[in-house]
Amino acid sequence: MINFQYARANDVVDAIRQITGDPNAKFIAGGTNLIDLMKMDVERPTKVVDITRLALKQVENTPSGGLRIGALVRNTDLAYHPLVGERYPVLASAIMAGASQQLRNMASTGGNLLQRTRCPYFYDTAMPCNKREPGSGCFAIEGHNRMHAILGGSDACIATHPSDMCVALAMLDAKVHVSSASNDRVIAFADFHRLPGDTPQRDTNLSAGEIITAVELPPKGFATNYTYLKIRDRLSYAFALVSVAVGLQLDGDTIKEGRFALGGVAHKPWRDSQAEAALRGQPANATTFFRAADVLLHDAKGYAHNTFKIDLARRCIARALTQAARGTPQLQSSKKIA
Ligand SMILES: Cc1cc2nc3c(=O)[nH]c(=O)nc-3n(C[C@H](O)[C@H](O)[C@H](O)COP(=O)(O)OP(=O)(O)OC[C@H]3O[C@@H](n4cnc5c(N)ncnc54)[C@H](O)[C@@H]3O)c2cc1C
Ligand code: SF4
């Protein structure tokens, strides 16, 4: 039995006050990841600050024509929000590809960004894991690494980030709004999650004492030519082996702008500016798509059980770009229950 203190925050200032100066305190939102980690003895917060009553549940237009999503907007509410469906359907699609309806009903926007890896050794306290216990080693590198990274890994960790929503947010160039006792700041999505390097215990660049208050989407949503393609071992309720979020802006058959982000392949959603440059001004066809995939996967590295992911990612990128170009996005299995 591990004791911890439970406290409820009234507002953002109160939440920050309750966590500041206590490195072992944690916020709790939907609890769908943190509670599991506590039950498995991976996370041992001495204090849990419940933020579910904070006024961070709005989805609002921004003056610049974008969308501001409060950190406590539930995944289901976000996926079914009319402004998201109309202007950012790739985000709705990515959310609906994740977890289960019950989990999406509980999970929050901020919590989704901060969910931890699904590497089995991270969850097994009997095994060495540099992310859970820095310096203990990485069992996955020589172990069962079928779900692990093919890009951006290090000798210390080859875990992947498990989120679907974050892959779409990366493609959309979202920003993360955070607050602390000393200031408010905005973090570009590309700078929010970290690569493991020699500090795999740090998943993000969020500092101690900071709370996520919102995620902001810029005006451009690629609502006509988009897709979120997720390949997994089961059709639902499974994490991605490889996923791809695509947004294209076309001029006839020519690509004016093309973006794509990958999930399931790295410690963070993976984008490559050179691969996207390989799309610009090119005809929207298979030759272009495979060329861009090859640029992105140039430095990909497989391990004993996941080398198949390199070719899988290549084909997923080409298929997702084809779906987006044709305006026939991947349908997700979960539909709204009226
Ligand atoms: C069986 C299962 C399957 C799943 N499948 C998928 C999947 O396929 N795809 C997918 O994307 N996700 C999947 N998920 C993950 C799920 O989406 C996340 O657990 C969820 O999004 C986390 O949100 P939460 O609000 O419950 O976070 P919590 O568990 O409450 O918190 C997670 C972390 O975020 C911190 N936190 C929460 N809110 C804030 C904030 N505003 N500011 C600062 N820190 C904060 C907490 O301190 C904690 O460290 C799955 C989960 C489970 C259990
Ligand atoms: S891949 Fe990362 S999370 Fe998994 S065992 Fe290695 S250090 Fe731990």
Side-chain angles (χ1 to χ4, degrees):
M1 177 82 168
I2 299 164
N3 288 320
F4 63 90
Q5 193 191 341
Y6 171 86
R8 188 176 279 159
N10 300 318
D11 54 33
V12 171
V13 173
D14 184 35
I16 293 169
R17 184 188 58 75
Q18 297 216 43
I19 211 157
T20 300
D22 186 347
N24 296 316
K26 285 254 166 197
F27 294 125
I28 189 160
T32 60
N33 191 212
L34 182 60
I35 297 291
D36 280 355
L37 290 163
M38 289 169 69
K39 283 198 265 189
M40 298 178 95
D41 203 20
V42 177
E43 300 255 21
R44 290 174 163 227
T46 49
K47 183 178 183 183
V48 169
V49 180
D50 182 345
I51 56 172
T52 51
R53 298 197 178 185
L54 305 194
L56 301 173
K57 296 174 185 157
Q58 303 300 317
V59 177
E60 302 162 305
N61 285 310
T62 63
S64 64
L67 210 61
R68 184 182 167 100
I69 302 159
L72 288 170
V73 175
R74 305 280 188 194
N75 288 182
T76 299
D77 294 336
L78 186 58
Y80 292 138
H81 197 285
L83 292 176
V84 174
E86 189 186 313
R87 285 160 45 194
Y88 306 95
V90 69
L91 177 58
S93 186
I95 294 169
M96 293 308 291
S100 64
Q101 187 63 58
Q102 290 89 341
L103 284 159
R104 293 190 296 266
N105 289 346
M106 286 301 293
S108 67
T109 300
N112 192 294
L113 267 57
L114 294 174
Q115 64 175 294
R116 306 214 66 190
T117 184
R118 292 283 156 175
C119 172
Y121 304 114
F122 176 69
Y123 284 78
D124 184 347
T125 54
M127 306 302 277
C129 169
N130 286 324
K131 186 180 280 297
R132 177 172 29 78
E133 201 180 325
S136 62
C138 171
F139 210 76
I141 289 175
E142 298 293 331
H144 190 65
N145 46 37
R146 185 168 179 275
M147 296 294 289
H148 288 73
I150 53 170
L151 288 160
S154 73
D155 291 343
C157 179
I158 55 168
T160 55
H161 193 266
S163 170
D164 291 291
M165 186 172 90
C166 290
V167 182
L169 292 175
M171 188 281 282
L172 290 167
D173 274 342
K175 293 175 186 161
V176 186
H177 290 251
V178 307
S179 294
S180 69
S182 52
N183 69 339
D184 300 335
R185 65 182 178 122
V186 180
I187 308 171
F189 208 81
D191 300 328
F192 186 77
H193 295 100
R194 293 163 60 95
L195 290 180
D198 54 8
T199 53
Q201 67 274 20
R202 288 194 63 196
D203 294 343
T204 72
N205 286 314
L206 203 65
S207 300
E210 281 186 320
I211 186 170
I212 300 173
T213 52
V215 170
E216 184 182 336
L217 300 179
K220 194 177 254 187
F222 299 98
T224 306
N225 294 101
Y226 73 92
T227 199
Y228 185 71
L229 176 64
K230 177 178 181 180
I231 304 297
R232 48 193 150 169
D233 285 328
R234 288 188 304 261
L235 194 53
S236 78
Y237 204 37
F239 292 93
L241 287 165
V242 174
S243 68
V244 189
V246 174
L248 293 178
Q249 192 181 352
L250 299 175
D251 181 4
D253 288 336
T254 302
I255 302 168
K256 273 182 83 177
E257 185 184 357
R259 295 189 202 164
F260 58 111
L262 266 67
V265 298
H267 204 253
K268 61 189 283 187
W270 194 264
R271 274 181 75 182
D272 182 323
S273 56
Q274 289 185 354
E276 292 178 12
L279 294 174
R280 207 169 303 131
Q282 299 300 311
N285 61 28
T287 306
T288 302
F289 300 155
F290 277 113
R291 195 185 308 126
D294 289 339
V295 174
L296 183 137
L297 293 165
H298 184 259
D299 294 324
K301 175 184 171 189
Y303 294 83
H305 304 286
N306 74 347
T307 305
F308 75 97
K309 275 192 178 189
I310 300 175
D311 187 48
L312 181 64
R314 184 173 184 268
R315 287 181 286 115
C316 283
I317 292 167
R319 182 169 145 198
L321 286 163
T322 304
Q323 288 180 341
R326 289 180 181 164
T328 53
Q330 182 74 24
L331 291 176
Q332 301 305 341
S333 56
S334 307
K335 292 270 183 282
K336 184 172 187 177
I337 299 162

